[in-house]
Amino acid sequence: MRLIGIPLSLIAGLLIVQSPADANVVRDRDCGGFPSQQAAQLYYLNHNPAADPDGLDSDSDGVACESLGGPYYYGSNPNPGSNNPTPHPPKPLKPRPIKVVKVLAGDLLKLRQEGKPAYKVRLVGAEVKGNSCVANGARRDLKSWIKPGRVVTVEIDRRAPKRRKGVTLANVVTKRGNYTIGGTQVGSGWATVAKYRFSDRTRYERWAGQASYRRQGLYGECFENAGSEKNPYLIGTIFDFGSWRYQFAATDPDALPEMQAENTASPGSVTYGGPPAPGWVYVRVAVTVTRISAGSGAPSWLDFELARDSDRYDTFGSGTSDWCGTGPAYLDEQPLARGQSLTGYVCASVPAPLRADDTWVITSEDYKTERFIRVG
C-alpha cells in the first residue's frame, strides 16, 4: 500500500477550520493588530468595507487605521498587486469643516461635517430649563447669531460627561470670533450653569452672576417681580441692590396738595419750587432704605428717576422753577451706617397724568444696571 504524505501544518489547518467551537467565533480586529496601514487597509477592503464590522475606518473616509506606520495604501482596490501600495503617507488633506445645520434649542445644535451625516450636540456647561419663556427665548436668542452654515469646531471636555439626555456633550466654538457658544449663552442670560462637572465652571458661574445682576435674558424677561424693565418689582417688595435694601410704597399721583399741607404744618420740612408747569404733575413715593454694606453711605435723590417709555424724569420739571421737593422728609444725602434704615420721599415732575405703566428706576452704583419698580 502506498502512503500519501500530508504536511502536518495543513492537517492542523484543516482541524482548526473544522472545529465546531471555532466556527462560531467572530474575530474583531483592531488597528493595533496590524503591522502596517497597508495590511489594515487590505483587510478592511476584503471584509465588507461598507459595514466596517471591525471599526477600522473611524471617520468613514474609506481609509483604515490612518495612525499606523508604513507601508501605506489608501486605495479602494482590494487586490492592488505589488505596485499600488504607497510607500509614504499621502499629503494630509485639509480637515473638512463642520457647519451648523440648525438650532434645535437654546443649548442644542444640529451639526454636519462635509460628506457625513448630521448629528446633534448639546452645549457643555449650559442648560436651558424652565417655562416656555425660557425655552423659546433661549432658542430665539441663539438663532439670532448662530445661522445655518456657520463654521464651528467641536471640542470634547474630558471632565464633563460624554452624553447628556442621550446626546453628545461638547464645546462648540465658532470659527470666526472664537466664541464658545455655551458660555456665550450663559453670559447673555439665556442659559443657566449646568450642575454636572466641567472644566470652565468657575468662569461660567461668574458670567451667570453678571447676567443675573444685570437682569439679562431669562433673569429679566421670564420671571415676574424681577425688577427688570419688563417685569418690575411690585409695590411693597423688599429687594437688595448694591449697598442698599429697598422697599417702595404706592406712588401718590398728585402730591402737590399733600406737600402744601405738610409745609404749612411744619415749615421747611418740604421745599419745592412752586406749582408744576401747565400740563405737568408732581408725583412722589415713600421709600425705605437700609444700608447693607460695610461702612456708611447716603442715599441720594439723584439715584432715582421715573421712567415712561424711553423718557426719564426726576425732581426737575420742564423749567427751572418747577422742581418737586427736597428737605428733611426726602431722601437727600442722609448718612446711614450698616444696618440703619430711613424712610423718606422721592419725587418726580412728569407730564400729567401718572400712567399705570410708569415705573421708578434706581441706577446701580457702577452704572451698569438698573432696577424698575411699579408705581401702583
Side-chain angles (χ1 to χ4, degrees):
M1 182 174 71
R2 185 177 180 181
L3 296 177
I4 301 174
I6 302 176
L8 291 177
S9 60
L10 179 58
I11 295 173
L14 292 172
L15 291 174
I16 292 173
V17 170
Q18 294 173 354
S19 170
D22 196 66
N24 294 325
V25 174
V26 178
R27 299 191 181 279
D28 183 15
R29 301 292 299 273
D30 56 37
C31 291
F34 296 97
S36 67
Q37 189 278 326
Q38 172 188 322
Q41 181 75 0
L42 293 176
Y43 177 89
Y44 162 75
L45 293 173
N46 284 281
H47 291 82
N48 194 10
D52 190 18
D54 297 285
L56 302 179
D57 180 13
S58 60
D59 57 1
S60 302
D61 64 352
V63 180
C65 300
E66 296 172 70
S67 62
L68 290 178
Y72 304 93
Y73 178 49
Y74 286 74
S76 58
N77 183 357
N79 299 293
S82 60
N83 295 323
N84 285 326
T86 307
H88 302 289
K91 184 179 180 180
L93 299 175
K94 184 178 180 180
R96 289 171 290 186
I98 300 172
K99 296 182 179 180
V100 174
V101 176
K102 187 178 183 181
V103 172
L104 300 175
D107 58 354
L108 182 64
L109 299 172
K110 179 181 281 189
L111 308 176
R112 179 184 287 118
Q113 189 171 23
E114 184 179 327
K116 296 184 178 182
Y119 60 99
K120 297 177 183 178
V121 173
R122 197 171 295 279
L123 305 176
V124 166
E127 285 194 336
V128 175
K129 55 185 179 181
N131 55 29
S132 60
C133 174
V134 176
N136 295 336
R139 182 171 178 268
R140 182 175 61 249
D141 179 77
L142 189 54
K143 288 179 68 177
S144 71
W145 68 288
I146 297 298
K147 304 293 185 182
R150 183 155 190 177
V151 179
V152 298
T153 59
V154 177
E155 302 171 359
I156 300 299
D157 184 341
R158 300 299 179 187
R159 298 190 67 190
K162 292 182 179 180
R163 299 176 70 82
R164 184 73 170 169
K165 300 178 183 178
V167 178
T168 298
L169 196 63
N171 283 313
V172 181
V173 183
T174 63
K175 197 73 172 178
R176 187 179 67 230
N178 199 37
Y179 298 112
T180 302
I181 298 177
T184 304
Q185 283 296 92
V186 170
S188 68
W190 280 115
T192 56
V193 180
K195 294 183 178 180
Y196 54 79
R197 190 175 73 166
F198 63 100
S199 297
D200 282 336
R201 168 171 292 281
T202 299
R203 188 163 50 159
Y204 277 40
E205 288 178 343
R206 184 174 71 251
W207 290 342
Q210 292 170 349
S212 175
Y213 173 64
R214 296 173 183 173
R215 294 300 191 263
Q216 294 174 308
L218 66 91
Y219 302 103
E221 293 195 22
C222 296
F223 301 102
E224 294 184 357
N225 205 28
S228 64
E229 186 172 9
K230 184 175 181 179
N231 294 297
Y233 285 123
L234 302 175
I235 293 171
T237 300
I238 299 173
F239 62 94
D240 294 349
F241 187 47
S243 300
W244 304 94
R245 178 169 295 147
Y246 297 91
Q247 185 178 29
F248 279 64
T251 299
D252 184 343
D254 182 7
L256 182 60
E258 289 79 7
M259 292 162 59
Q260 292 171 330
E262 290 163 1
N263 204 33
T264 299
S266 179
S269 63
V270 175
T271 304
Y272 57 94
W280 289 61
V281 66
Y282 293 154
V283 300
R284 73 176 184 179
V285 61
V287 182
T288 300
V289 295
T290 303
R291 178 76 179 180
I292 58 175
S293 293
S296 62
S300 171
W301 61 269
L302 292 170
D303 298 331
F304 302 86
E305 293 178 303
L306 189 134
R308 175 180 296 175
D309 300 326
S310 60
D311 296 319
R312 300 293 177 92
Y313 302 93
D314 57 23
T315 187
F316 295 99
S318 60
T320 57
S321 61
D322 57 333
W323 49 278
C324 67
T326 183
Y330 288 77
L331 295 181
D332 190 19
E333 304 295 343
Q334 299 94 331
L336 296 176
R338 185 174 186 177
Q340 287 186 317
S341 298
L342 173 70
T343 299
Y345 290 118
V346 172
C347 70
S349 180
V350 302
L354 181 69
R355 293 179 1 190
D357 61 343
D358 289 343
T359 55
W360 291 101
V361 184
I362 312 172
T363 302
S364 65
E365 295 161 314
D366 58 10
Y367 300 100
K368 291 183 177 180
T369 188
E370 298 171 316
R371 291 294 181 269
F372 295 78
I373 306 94
R374 295 185 185 277
V375 297

